[in-house]
């Protein structure tokens, strides 16, 4: 008998610090993809993971948004993503637990394996710096983040990187704001950004 093929879920991992904790970044070789939708204070969130880690978070995940996200992942990974089975251990078990804990206020730093397959180049560099260096309850300017990655003057490119973020909430692009105090843009909508910053105590909670 020949040697069995390697389990793609056990591919090599690289360390990444998120919120002061060491977590795991991944190679882009994984083919297994699992997805689910979880409720949150900002509406339904689509979560997807490969055998390498959490790979995608999508806001406002009603049925059409969910279906588009599943199709995009199928195209990217060359396999049909499978819905997570409730109660069965899998790669989304811990992301679901941590996302729920974040929204109920008991978790301030995500510690998850991350698959960076959906980001590359400058965008990935900026997002990794954001994940590692801008903790819960703080904000950073677009220009400041550009300086941190050694690209002063690249504030616009940092904005584009935030817009490309495949892992919002976990990689906290909501913490990136304009230097003069404006919220800046946000792929999930400015009201969602306000809600996340209010949750973290950066902005006051709305009165109503």
């Amino acid at each position: 008998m020949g040697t069995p093929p390697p389990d793609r879920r056990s591919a090599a991992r690289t360390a990444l610090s998120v919120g002061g904790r060491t977590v795991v970044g991944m190679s882009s070789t994984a083919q297994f993809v699992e997805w689910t939708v979880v409720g949150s204070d900002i509406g339904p969130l689509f979560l997807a993971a490969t055998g390498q880690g959490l790979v995608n978070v999508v806001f406002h995940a009603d049925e059409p948004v969910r279906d588009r996200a599943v199709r995009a992942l199928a195209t990217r990974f060359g396999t049909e993503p499978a819905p997570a089975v409730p109660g069965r251990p899998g790669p989304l078990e811990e992301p679901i637990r941590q996302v729920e804990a974040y929204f109920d206020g008991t978790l301030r730093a995500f510690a998850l394996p991350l698959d960076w397959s959906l980001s590359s180049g400058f965008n990935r560099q900026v997002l990794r710096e954001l994940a590692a260096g801008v903790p819960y309850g703080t904000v950073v300017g677009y220009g400041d983040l550009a300086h941190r990655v050694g690209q002063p003057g690249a504030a616009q490119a940092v904005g584009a990187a935030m817009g490309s973020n495949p892992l919002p909430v976990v990689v906290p692009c909501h913490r990136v704001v304009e230097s003069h105090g404006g919220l800046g843009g946000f792929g999930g909508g400015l009201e969602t950004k306000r809600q996340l910053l209010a949750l973290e105590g950066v902005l006051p909670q709305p009165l109503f």
Side-chain angles (χ1 to χ4, degrees):
M1 295 179 65
T3 303
D7 184 351
R8 293 183 181 274
R9 303 187 201 186
S10 62
R13 303 183 174 192
T14 56
L16 167 70
S17 174
V18 175
R21 301 183 185 184
T22 299
V23 297
V24 181
M26 299 300 187
S27 72
S28 59
T29 59
Q31 298 300 315
F32 173 81
V33 186
E34 184 173 282
W35 65 268
T36 193
V37 174
V38 297
S40 78
D41 293 350
I42 56 172
L45 292 174
F46 175 89
L47 305 180
T50 67
Q52 310 306 304
L54 187 69
V55 73
N56 203 196
V57 178
V58 180
F59 293 117
H60 314 308
D62 57 15
E63 189 171 339
V65 169
R66 178 203 70 191
D67 290 348
R68 285 197 298 273
V70 170
R71 287 196 301 271
L73 290 169
T75 299
R76 172 63 181 80
F77 289 100
T79 189
E80 188 63 31
V85 178
R88 179 191 295 173
L92 284 170
E93 184 177 16
E94 186 61 15
I96 291 168
R97 188 193 70 78
Q98 291 195 28
V99 166
E100 290 175 344
Y102 170 80
F103 281 104
D104 71 21
T106 60
L107 182 141
R108 294 192 169 199
F110 288 97
L112 292 169
L114 302 178
D115 183 336
W116 289 97
S117 296
L118 302 183
S119 185
S120 62
F122 178 78
N123 289 354
R124 184 189 291 190
Q125 180 187 10
V126 172
L127 291 170
R128 288 173 70 100
E129 173 60 33
L130 171 65
V134 185
Y136 186 102
T138 67
V139 294
V140 65
Y142 293 94
D144 292 336
L145 195 51
H147 274 280
R148 291 192 189 191
V149 298
Q151 297 290 334
Q156 270 194 318
V158 167
M162 297 306 101
S164 77
N165 183 10
L167 291 162
V169 181
V170 176
V171 177
C173 51
H174 59 279
R175 297 177 193 158
V176 185
V177 298
E178 294 176 350
S179 58
H180 58 72
L183 286 181
F186 193 61
L190 287 185
E191 183 54 35
T192 298
K193 189 170 189 175
R194 288 189 188 96
Q195 288 178 274
L196 290 169
L197 292 174
L199 171 69
E200 296 186 9
V202 177
L203 294 177
Q205 292 284 354
L207 294 177
F208 304 100

